[in-house]
Amino acid sequence: MLANLEMVKALLDGAERVVVLTGSGVSAESGIPTFREADGLWRQFRAEELARPDAFAEDPELVWEFYNWRRELVANSEPNDAHLALADLECVVPEFLLITQNVDGLHSLAGSRNLLEMHGSLWELQCTMCSWRNEDRTMLSGVPTCPACGALLRPGVVWFGEALPPGVLNQAIRAIAEADVFLSVGTSAMVQPAASFAQLAREQGAVTVEINLEPTPNSGLVDFALHGKAGTILPRLTGALCA
Ligand code: OAD
């Protein structure tokens, strides 16, 4: 592990183009439950049961209760050492893109700028009927309605089975195609299309690195698999680079 850490650090030191993909594991040390681990349950529900259009159509109150709980949890959380290390890395790499599956906004709070939030944001509200869409960081209760047309509002996040925002996938694929180094951090690599990014990066010539608490389906195909907490490993990779 130590030798691998040193090699990855050296790689990042010389890299011109770096793409990072993050998942919910990067926010775990901020106290935000991940999607598929045991602490991901809210009441008796798995996040996957509620983060879907059919769940919202059936019971918008329940789905909003879940999102209002998550908004409050995130509002009371702070970026951790993993988020901060990635913001630092951006400062020293000439071309850097951070692609996140997270909707919590903690990367931008940590200072990341070139950021692609591929699953949207908890802090966006969008109308289910008209084109109204807005950022709203206030704490909500119940089901909010559209100020323009009165229809139900929904969280501005991508739910299971929904398409990614236009252009997002192309932007990710273009950056991956040019990357020297691709880092995957805190994601179980179970949800497409992000789960295939490591393989795509490898095929396009990038050196690929996984940083995750436990092995994932991608661990065997990446060049370096570093297993442990992102908040411990990432600062060890980026610390001296940014000093
Ligand atoms: P998962 O819950 O599937 O995976 C989180 C991963 O983070 C697991 O493999 C954990 O081992 C790892 N992990 C936990 N704590 C960690 C730590 N401190 N440091 C490093 N790794 C840690 O979540 P995602 O992979 O993010 O999509 O899930 C991907 C997408 O599936 C989500 O964006 C969401 C979802 O259901 C939608 O809602 C559309």
Side-chain angles (χ1 to χ4, degrees), residues 23-25 28-29 34-37 48 51 101-102 119 158-160 186-189 191 211-214 216 228-230:
S24 58
E29 290 161 73
T34 60
F35 272 85
R36 285 174 190 77
E37 292 178 291
E48 287 167 281
Q101 299 167 89
N102 300 344
H119 290 163
V158 177
W159 281 332
F160 281 95
T187 175
S188 63
V191 176
I211 298 167
N212 204 63
L213 203 52
E214 57 193 10
T216 77
K229 290 188 171 184

PDB file of all heavy atoms in Angstrom, residues 23-25 28-29 34-37 48 51 101-102 119 158-160 186-189 191 211-214 216 228-230, ligand 1:
ATOM      1  N   GLY A  23     -18.063   9.337  -5.481  1.00  0.00           N
ATOM      2  CA  GLY A  23     -19.381   8.844  -5.104  1.00  0.00           C
ATOM      3  C   GLY A  23     -19.614   9.127  -3.637  1.00  0.00           C
ATOM      4  O   GLY A  23     -18.823   9.835  -2.994  1.00  0.00           O
ATOM      5  N   SER A  24     -20.662   8.540  -3.106  1.00  0.00           N
ATOM      6  CA  SER A  24     -21.108   8.941  -1.767  1.00  0.00           C
ATOM      7  C   SER A  24     -20.092   8.628  -0.667  1.00  0.00           C
ATOM      8  O   SER A  24     -20.121   9.245   0.391  1.00  0.00           O
ATOM      9  CB  SER A  24     -22.456   8.307  -1.452  1.00  0.00           C
ATOM     10  OG  SER A  24     -22.375   6.908  -1.530  1.00  0.00           O
ATOM     11  N   GLY A  25     -19.143   7.697  -0.944  1.00  0.00           N
ATOM     12  CA  GLY A  25     -18.127   7.393   0.062  1.00  0.00           C
ATOM     13  C   GLY A  25     -17.254   8.599   0.398  1.00  0.00           C
ATOM     14  O   GLY A  25     -16.700   8.684   1.493  1.00  0.00           O
ATOM     15  N   ALA A  28     -18.857  10.316   3.266  1.00  0.00           N
ATOM     16  CA  ALA A  28     -19.175   9.506   4.460  1.00  0.00           C
ATOM     17  C   ALA A  28     -18.547  10.112   5.713  1.00  0.00           C
ATOM     18  O   ALA A  28     -19.170  10.150   6.780  1.00  0.00           O
ATOM     19  CB  ALA A  28     -18.692   8.074   4.251  1.00  0.00           C
ATOM     20  N   GLU A  29     -17.310  10.613   5.563  1.00  0.00           N
ATOM     21  CA  GLU A  29     -16.629  11.168   6.742  1.00  0.00           C
ATOM     22  C   GLU A  29     -17.161  12.555   7.127  1.00  0.00           C
ATOM     23  O   GLU A  29     -16.715  13.134   8.112  1.00  0.00           O
ATOM     24  CB  GLU A  29     -15.115  11.192   6.495  1.00  0.00           C
ATOM     25  CG  GLU A  29     -14.539   9.778   6.473  1.00  0.00           C
ATOM     26  CD  GLU A  29     -13.184   9.698   5.803  1.00  0.00           C
ATOM     27  OE1 GLU A  29     -12.207  10.150   6.398  1.00  0.00           O
ATOM     28  OE2 GLU A  29     -13.118   9.180   4.669  1.00  0.00           O
ATOM     29  N   THR A  34     -23.908   6.690   2.961  1.00  0.00           N
ATOM     30  CA  THR A  34     -23.738   6.312   1.555  1.00  0.00           C
ATOM     31  C   THR A  34     -25.041   5.662   1.069  1.00  0.00           C
ATOM     32  O   THR A  34     -25.983   5.513   1.845  1.00  0.00           O
ATOM     33  CB  THR A  34     -22.567   5.321   1.394  1.00  0.00           C
ATOM     34  OG1 THR A  34     -22.863   4.169   2.173  1.00  0.00           O
ATOM     35  CG2 THR A  34     -21.255   5.933   1.835  1.00  0.00           C
ATOM     36  N   PHE A  35     -25.066   5.288  -0.201  1.00  0.00           N
ATOM     37  CA  PHE A  35     -26.309   4.746  -0.761  1.00  0.00           C
ATOM     38  C   PHE A  35     -26.553   3.293  -0.393  1.00  0.00           C
ATOM     39  O   PHE A  35     -27.653   2.898  -0.056  1.00  0.00           O
ATOM     40  CB  PHE A  35     -26.316   4.885  -2.289  1.00  0.00           C
ATOM     41  CG  PHE A  35     -26.882   6.195  -2.706  1.00  0.00           C
ATOM     42  CD1 PHE A  35     -26.085   7.321  -2.762  1.00  0.00           C
ATOM     43  CD2 PHE A  35     -28.226   6.308  -3.002  1.00  0.00           C
ATOM     44  CE1 PHE A  35     -26.604   8.537  -3.112  1.00  0.00           C
ATOM     45  CE2 PHE A  35     -28.755   7.532  -3.357  1.00  0.00           C
ATOM     46  CZ  PHE A  35     -27.948   8.644  -3.410  1.00  0.00           C
ATOM     47  N   ARG A  36     -25.493   2.474  -0.517  1.00  0.00           N
ATOM     48  CA  ARG A  36     -25.723   1.034  -0.427  1.00  0.00           C
ATOM     49  C   ARG A  36     -25.207   0.384   0.843  1.00  0.00           C
ATOM     50  O   ARG A  36     -25.380  -0.787   1.046  1.00  0.00           O
ATOM     51  CB  ARG A  36     -25.123   0.333  -1.661  1.00  0.00           C
ATOM     52  CG  ARG A  36     -25.992   0.564  -2.844  1.00  0.00           C
ATOM     53  CD  ARG A  36     -25.437   0.057  -4.146  1.00  0.00           C
ATOM     54  NE  ARG A  36     -26.309   0.585  -5.173  1.00  0.00           N
ATOM     55  CZ  ARG A  36     -26.276   1.839  -5.599  1.00  0.00           C
ATOM     56  NH1 ARG A  36     -25.393   2.687  -5.110  1.00  0.00           N
ATOM     57  NH2 ARG A  36     -27.139   2.263  -6.504  1.00  0.00           N
ATOM     58  N   GLU A  37     -24.564   1.137   1.706  1.00  0.00           N
ATOM     59  CA  GLU A  37     -24.081   0.528   2.945  1.00  0.00           C
ATOM     60  C   GLU A  37     -25.216   0.514   3.972  1.00  0.00           C
ATOM     61  O   GLU A  37     -26.252   1.161   3.782  1.00  0.00           O
ATOM     62  CB  GLU A  37     -22.869   1.298   3.470  1.00  0.00           C
ATOM     63  CG  GLU A  37     -21.670   1.133   2.537  1.00  0.00           C
ATOM     64  CD  GLU A  37     -20.485   1.932   3.025  1.00  0.00           C
ATOM     65  OE1 GLU A  37     -20.541   3.173   2.967  1.00  0.00           O
ATOM     66  OE2 GLU A  37     -19.525   1.322   3.464  1.00  0.00           O
ATOM     67  N   GLU A  48     -32.437   3.968  -2.686  1.00  0.00           N
ATOM     68  CA  GLU A  48     -32.834   3.585  -4.052  1.00  0.00           C
ATOM     69  C   GLU A  48     -34.347   3.408  -4.212  1.00  0.00           C
ATOM     70  O   GLU A  48     -34.870   3.507  -5.312  1.00  0.00           O
ATOM     71  CB  GLU A  48     -32.201   2.238  -4.421  1.00  0.00           C
ATOM     72  CG  GLU A  48     -30.744   2.295  -4.689  1.00  0.00           C
ATOM     73  CD  GLU A  48     -30.176   0.889  -4.725  1.00  0.00           C
ATOM     74  OE1 GLU A  48     -29.959   0.310  -3.655  1.00  0.00           O
ATOM     75  OE2 GLU A  48     -29.986   0.375  -5.828  1.00  0.00           O
ATOM     76  N   ALA A  51     -35.459   7.373  -4.346  1.00  0.00           N
ATOM     77  CA  ALA A  51     -34.876   8.251  -5.364  1.00  0.00           C
ATOM     78  C   ALA A  51     -35.311   7.785  -6.739  1.00  0.00           C
ATOM     79  O   ALA A  51     -34.493   7.391  -7.575  1.00  0.00           O
ATOM     80  CB  ALA A  51     -33.351   8.252  -5.229  1.00  0.00           C
ATOM     81  N   GLN A 101     -21.000  12.013  -8.474  1.00  0.00           N
ATOM     82  CA  GLN A 101     -22.363  11.461  -8.481  1.00  0.00           C
ATOM     83  C   GLN A 101     -23.146  12.021  -7.292  1.00  0.00           C
ATOM     84  O   GLN A 101     -24.319  11.750  -7.141  1.00  0.00           O
ATOM     85  CB  GLN A 101     -22.301   9.934  -8.370  1.00  0.00           C
ATOM     86  CG  GLN A 101     -21.569   9.268  -9.504  1.00  0.00           C
ATOM     87  CD  GLN A 101     -21.274   7.800  -9.173  1.00  0.00           C
ATOM     88  OE1 GLN A 101     -22.072   6.918  -9.440  1.00  0.00           O
ATOM     89  NE2 GLN A 101     -20.124   7.542  -8.593  1.00  0.00           N
ATOM     90  N   ASN A 102     -22.450  12.767  -6.435  1.00  0.00           N
ATOM     91  CA  ASN A 102     -23.096  13.259  -5.216  1.00  0.00           C
ATOM     92  C   ASN A 102     -23.926  14.503  -5.490  1.00  0.00           C
ATOM     93  O   ASN A 102     -23.590  15.308  -6.353  1.00  0.00           O
ATOM     94  CB  ASN A 102     -22.042  13.569  -4.148  1.00  0.00           C
ATOM     95  CG  ASN A 102     -21.244  12.330  -3.786  1.00  0.00           C
ATOM     96  OD1 ASN A 102     -21.662  11.229  -4.107  1.00  0.00           O
ATOM     97  ND2 ASN A 102     -20.110  12.513  -3.146  1.00  0.00           N
ATOM     98  N   HIS A 119     -25.428  13.998 -11.179  1.00  0.00           N
ATOM     99  CA  HIS A 119     -26.773  13.641 -10.710  1.00  0.00           C
ATOM    100  C   HIS A 119     -27.534  14.841 -10.155  1.00  0.00           C
ATOM    101  O   HIS A 119     -28.501  14.670  -9.411  1.00  0.00           O
ATOM    102  CB  HIS A 119     -26.679  12.524  -9.660  1.00  0.00           C
ATOM    103  CG  HIS A 119     -26.271  11.194 -10.237  1.00  0.00           C
ATOM    104  ND1 HIS A 119     -25.798  10.149  -9.487  1.00  0.00           N
ATOM    105  CD2 HIS A 119     -26.266  10.757 -11.524  1.00  0.00           C
ATOM    106  CE1 HIS A 119     -25.529   9.113 -10.275  1.00  0.00           C
ATOM    107  NE2 HIS A 119     -25.787   9.464 -11.513  1.00  0.00           N
ATOM    108  N   VAL A 158     -31.101  13.708 -10.368  1.00  0.00           N
ATOM    109  CA  VAL A 158     -31.430  12.660 -11.344  1.00  0.00           C
ATOM    110  C   VAL A 158     -31.833  11.410 -10.565  1.00  0.00           C
ATOM    111  O   VAL A 158     -31.086  10.944  -9.705  1.00  0.00           O
ATOM    112  CB  VAL A 158     -30.207  12.353 -12.235  1.00  0.00           C
ATOM    113  CG1 VAL A 158     -30.504  11.217 -13.193  1.00  0.00           C
ATOM    114  CG2 VAL A 158     -29.791  13.604 -12.997  1.00  0.00           C
ATOM    115  N   TRP A 159     -33.003  10.918 -10.855  1.00  0.00           N
ATOM    116  CA  TRP A 159     -33.472   9.720 -10.169  1.00  0.00           C
ATOM    117  C   TRP A 159     -33.177   8.486 -11.019  1.00  0.00           C
ATOM    118  O   TRP A 159     -32.910   8.587 -12.223  1.00  0.00           O
ATOM    119  CB  TRP A 159     -34.976   9.833  -9.904  1.00  0.00           C
ATOM    120  CG  TRP A 159     -35.301  10.700  -8.712  1.00  0.00           C
ATOM    121  CD1 TRP A 159     -34.511  10.914  -7.628  1.00  0.00           C
ATOM    122  CD2 TRP A 159     -36.508  11.451  -8.495  1.00  0.00           C
ATOM    123  NE1 TRP A 159     -35.160  11.748  -6.740  1.00  0.00           N
ATOM    124  CE2 TRP A 159     -36.373  12.092  -7.241  1.00  0.00           C
ATOM    125  CE3 TRP A 159     -37.690  11.639  -9.220  1.00  0.00           C
ATOM    126  CZ2 TRP A 159     -37.371  12.896  -6.705  1.00  0.00           C
ATOM    127  CZ3 TRP A 159     -38.686  12.446  -8.684  1.00  0.00           C
ATOM    128  CH2 TRP A 159     -38.534  13.069  -7.438  1.00  0.00           C
ATOM    129  N   PHE A 160     -33.299   7.318 -10.390  1.00  0.00           N
ATOM    130  CA  PHE A 160     -33.084   6.060 -11.096  1.00  0.00           C
ATOM    131  C   PHE A 160     -33.975   5.986 -12.325  1.00  0.00           C
ATOM    132  O   PHE A 160     -35.167   6.287 -12.246  1.00  0.00           O
ATOM    133  CB  PHE A 160     -33.381   4.870 -10.192  1.00  0.00           C
ATOM    134  CG  PHE A 160     -32.248   4.614  -9.267  1.00  0.00           C
ATOM    135  CD1 PHE A 160     -32.255   5.133  -7.995  1.00  0.00           C
ATOM    136  CD2 PHE A 160     -31.138   3.902  -9.699  1.00  0.00           C
ATOM    137  CE1 PHE A 160     -31.188   4.940  -7.146  1.00  0.00           C
ATOM    138  CE2 PHE A 160     -30.056   3.705  -8.866  1.00  0.00           C
ATOM    139  CZ  PHE A 160     -30.086   4.222  -7.578  1.00  0.00           C
ATOM    140  N   GLY A 186     -14.473   6.609  -3.562  1.00  0.00           N
ATOM    141  CA  GLY A 186     -15.678   6.458  -2.736  1.00  0.00           C
ATOM    142  C   GLY A 186     -16.926   6.110  -3.510  1.00  0.00           C
ATOM    143  O   GLY A 186     -18.008   6.600  -3.204  1.00  0.00           O
ATOM    144  N   THR A 187     -16.783   5.261  -4.505  1.00  0.00           N
ATOM    145  CA  THR A 187     -17.976   4.806  -5.230  1.00  0.00           C
ATOM    146  C   THR A 187     -17.911   3.289  -5.398  1.00  0.00           C
ATOM    147  O   THR A 187     -16.846   2.733  -5.684  1.00  0.00           O
ATOM    148  CB  THR A 187     -18.169   5.529  -6.576  1.00  0.00           C
ATOM    149  OG1 THR A 187     -19.280   4.940  -7.264  1.00  0.00           O
ATOM    150  CG2 THR A 187     -16.945   5.486  -7.470  1.00  0.00           C
ATOM    151  N   SER A 188     -19.075   2.649  -5.233  1.00  0.00           N
ATOM    152  CA  SER A 188     -19.123   1.190  -5.301  1.00  0.00           C
ATOM    153  C   SER A 188     -19.053   0.682  -6.745  1.00  0.00           C
ATOM    154  O   SER A 188     -18.968  -0.518  -6.967  1.00  0.00           O
ATOM    155  CB  SER A 188     -20.417   0.687  -4.657  1.00  0.00           C
ATOM    156  OG  SER A 188     -21.526   1.173  -5.382  1.00  0.00           O
ATOM    157  N   ALA A 189     -19.095   1.594  -7.719  1.00  0.00           N
ATOM    158  CA  ALA A 189     -19.056   1.223  -9.142  1.00  0.00           C
ATOM    159  C   ALA A 189     -20.186   0.250  -9.491  1.00  0.00           C
ATOM    160  O   ALA A 189     -19.981  -0.748 -10.179  1.00  0.00           O
ATOM    161  CB  ALA A 189     -17.683   0.640  -9.518  1.00  0.00           C
ATOM    162  N   VAL A 191     -23.409   1.729 -10.354  1.00  0.00           N
ATOM    163  CA  VAL A 191     -24.428   2.453 -11.125  1.00  0.00           C
ATOM    164  C   VAL A 191     -23.823   3.027 -12.399  1.00  0.00           C
ATOM    165  O   VAL A 191     -22.823   3.750 -12.356  1.00  0.00           O
ATOM    166  CB  VAL A 191     -25.061   3.583 -10.260  1.00  0.00           C
ATOM    167  CG1 VAL A 191     -26.041   4.408 -11.066  1.00  0.00           C
ATOM    168  CG2 VAL A 191     -25.780   2.968  -9.063  1.00  0.00           C
ATOM    169  N   ILE A 211      -9.746   4.640  -5.087  1.00  0.00           N
ATOM    170  CA  ILE A 211      -9.586   4.839  -3.642  1.00  0.00           C
ATOM    171  C   ILE A 211     -10.945   4.559  -3.033  1.00  0.00           C
ATOM    172  O   ILE A 211     -11.919   5.287  -3.284  1.00  0.00           O
ATOM    173  CB  ILE A 211      -9.145   6.285  -3.327  1.00  0.00           C
ATOM    174  CG1 ILE A 211      -7.789   6.565  -3.970  1.00  0.00           C
ATOM    175  CG2 ILE A 211      -9.095   6.510  -1.815  1.00  0.00           C
ATOM    176  CD1 ILE A 211      -7.399   8.031  -3.984  1.00  0.00           C
ATOM    177  N   ASN A 212     -11.051   3.485  -2.286  1.00  0.00           N
ATOM    178  CA  ASN A 212     -12.355   3.101  -1.733  1.00  0.00           C
ATOM    179  C   ASN A 212     -12.131   2.289  -0.464  1.00  0.00           C
ATOM    180  O   ASN A 212     -11.109   1.623  -0.322  1.00  0.00           O
ATOM    181  CB  ASN A 212     -13.138   2.269  -2.764  1.00  0.00           C
ATOM    182  CG  ASN A 212     -14.631   2.343  -2.531  1.00  0.00           C
ATOM    183  OD1 ASN A 212     -15.216   3.421  -2.619  1.00  0.00           O
ATOM    184  ND2 ASN A 212     -15.264   1.227  -2.219  1.00  0.00           N
ATOM    185  N   LEU A 213     -13.109   2.364   0.417  1.00  0.00           N
ATOM    186  CA  LEU A 213     -12.994   1.630   1.677  1.00  0.00           C
ATOM    187  C   LEU A 213     -12.820   0.135   1.437  1.00  0.00           C
ATOM    188  O   LEU A 213     -12.091  -0.527   2.154  1.00  0.00           O
ATOM    189  CB  LEU A 213     -14.275   1.894   2.484  1.00  0.00           C
ATOM    190  CG  LEU A 213     -14.227   1.731   3.989  1.00  0.00           C
ATOM    191  CD1 LEU A 213     -13.087   2.512   4.608  1.00  0.00           C
ATOM    192  CD2 LEU A 213     -15.559   2.172   4.590  1.00  0.00           C
ATOM    193  N   GLU A 214     -13.484  -0.370   0.438  1.00  0.00           N
ATOM    194  CA  GLU A 214     -13.447  -1.821   0.206  1.00  0.00           C
ATOM    195  C   GLU A 214     -13.302  -2.065  -1.303  1.00  0.00           C
ATOM    196  O   GLU A 214     -13.558  -1.164  -2.099  1.00  0.00           O
ATOM    197  CB  GLU A 214     -14.748  -2.453   0.709  1.00  0.00           C
ATOM    198  CG  GLU A 214     -15.943  -1.825   0.044  1.00  0.00           C
ATOM    199  CD  GLU A 214     -17.278  -2.152   0.689  1.00  0.00           C
ATOM    200  OE1 GLU A 214     -17.293  -2.727   1.786  1.00  0.00           O
ATOM    201  OE2 GLU A 214     -18.295  -1.823   0.057  1.00  0.00           O
ATOM    202  N   THR A 216     -14.137  -3.050  -5.116  1.00  0.00           N
ATOM    203  CA  THR A 216     -15.345  -2.875  -5.929  1.00  0.00           C
ATOM    204  C   THR A 216     -15.176  -3.726  -7.200  1.00  0.00           C
ATOM    205  O   THR A 216     -14.090  -4.253  -7.449  1.00  0.00           O
ATOM    206  CB  THR A 216     -15.517  -1.402  -6.368  1.00  0.00           C
ATOM    207  OG1 THR A 216     -14.601  -1.151  -7.439  1.00  0.00           O
ATOM    208  CG2 THR A 216     -15.259  -0.419  -5.234  1.00  0.00           C
ATOM    209  N   GLY A 228      -9.060   2.061   1.787  1.00  0.00           N
ATOM    210  CA  GLY A 228      -9.027   2.757   3.072  1.00  0.00           C
ATOM    211  C   GLY A 228      -9.934   3.969   2.969  1.00  0.00           C
ATOM    212  O   GLY A 228     -10.677   4.118   1.988  1.00  0.00           O
ATOM    213  N   LYS A 229      -9.872   4.830   3.978  1.00  0.00           N
ATOM    214  CA  LYS A 229     -10.753   6.008   3.980  1.00  0.00           C
ATOM    215  C   LYS A 229     -10.208   7.100   3.058  1.00  0.00           C
ATOM    216  O   LYS A 229      -9.015   7.432   3.122  1.00  0.00           O
ATOM    217  CB  LYS A 229     -10.857   6.566   5.392  1.00  0.00           C
ATOM    218  CG  LYS A 229     -11.642   5.680   6.327  1.00  0.00           C
ATOM    219  CD  LYS A 229     -11.871   6.369   7.648  1.00  0.00           C
ATOM    220  CE  LYS A 229     -12.836   5.553   8.476  1.00  0.00           C
ATOM    221  NZ  LYS A 229     -13.174   6.194   9.733  1.00  0.00           N
ATOM    222  N   ALA A 230     -11.089   7.651   2.252  1.00  0.00           N
ATOM    223  CA  ALA A 230     -10.676   8.714   1.325  1.00  0.00           C
ATOM    224  C   ALA A 230     -10.086   9.901   2.082  1.00  0.00           C
ATOM    225  O   ALA A 230      -9.143  10.536   1.615  1.00  0.00           O
ATOM    226  CB  ALA A 230     -11.879   9.159   0.495  1.00  0.00           C
TER     227      ALA A 230
HETATM  228  P1  OAD B   1     -22.575   3.486  -2.837  1.00  0.00           P
HETATM  229  O1  OAD B   1     -23.275   3.542  -1.518  1.00  0.00           O
HETATM  230  O2  OAD B   1     -23.027   2.459  -3.804  1.00  0.00           O
HETATM  231  O3  OAD B   1     -21.013   3.250  -2.587  1.00  0.00           O
HETATM  232  C1  OAD B   1     -20.286   3.989  -1.665  1.00  0.00           C
HETATM  233  C2  OAD B   1     -18.896   3.388  -1.605  1.00  0.00           C
HETATM  234  O4  OAD B   1     -18.095   4.227  -0.772  1.00  0.00           O
HETATM  235  C3  OAD B   1     -18.830   1.972  -1.010  1.00  0.00           C
HETATM  236  O5  OAD B   1     -18.136   1.109  -1.901  1.00  0.00           O
HETATM  237  C4  OAD B   1     -18.050   2.154   0.299  1.00  0.00           C
HETATM  238  O6  OAD B   1     -17.174   1.092   0.571  1.00  0.00           O
HETATM  239  C5  OAD B   1     -17.258   3.417   0.011  1.00  0.00           C
HETATM  240  N1  OAD B   1     -16.910   4.204   1.222  1.00  0.00           N
HETATM  241  C6  OAD B   1     -17.624   4.390   2.358  1.00  0.00           C
HETATM  242  N2  OAD B   1     -16.991   5.203   3.199  1.00  0.00           N
HETATM  243  C7  OAD B   1     -15.825   5.559   2.595  1.00  0.00           C
HETATM  244  C8  OAD B   1     -14.717   6.380   2.963  1.00  0.00           C
HETATM  245  N3  OAD B   1     -14.672   7.025   4.121  1.00  0.00           N
HETATM  246  N4  OAD B   1     -13.703   6.508   2.076  1.00  0.00           N
HETATM  247  C9  OAD B   1     -13.722   5.835   0.876  1.00  0.00           C
HETATM  248  N5  OAD B   1     -14.730   5.049   0.493  1.00  0.00           N
HETATM  249  C10 OAD B   1     -15.777   4.912   1.318  1.00  0.00           C
HETATM  250  O7  OAD B   1     -22.656   4.949  -3.459  1.00  0.00           O
HETATM  251  P2  OAD B   1     -22.294   5.485  -4.915  1.00  0.00           P
HETATM  252  O8  OAD B   1     -21.265   4.623  -5.556  1.00  0.00           O
HETATM  253  O9  OAD B   1     -22.021   6.924  -4.771  1.00  0.00           O
HETATM  254  O10 OAD B   1     -27.490   7.689  -7.927  1.00  0.00           O
HETATM  255  O11 OAD B   1     -23.656   5.313  -5.666  1.00  0.00           O
HETATM  256  C11 OAD B   1     -23.724   5.787  -6.986  1.00  0.00           C
HETATM  257  C12 OAD B   1     -25.076   6.301  -7.297  1.00  0.00           C
HETATM  258  O12 OAD B   1     -26.034   5.298  -7.007  1.00  0.00           O
HETATM  259  C13 OAD B   1     -25.550   7.494  -6.497  1.00  0.00           C
HETATM  260  O13 OAD B   1     -25.137   8.706  -7.032  1.00  0.00           O
HETATM  261  C14 OAD B   1     -27.022   7.377  -6.591  1.00  0.00           C
HETATM  262  C15 OAD B   1     -27.069   5.937  -6.323  1.00  0.00           C
HETATM  263  O14 OAD B   1     -28.087   5.251  -5.995  1.00  0.00           O
HETATM  264  C16 OAD B   1     -28.719   8.216  -8.081  1.00  0.00           C
HETATM  265  O15 OAD B   1     -29.401   8.551  -7.144  1.00  0.00           O
HETATM  266  C17 OAD B   1     -29.139   8.366  -9.520  1.00  0.00           C
END
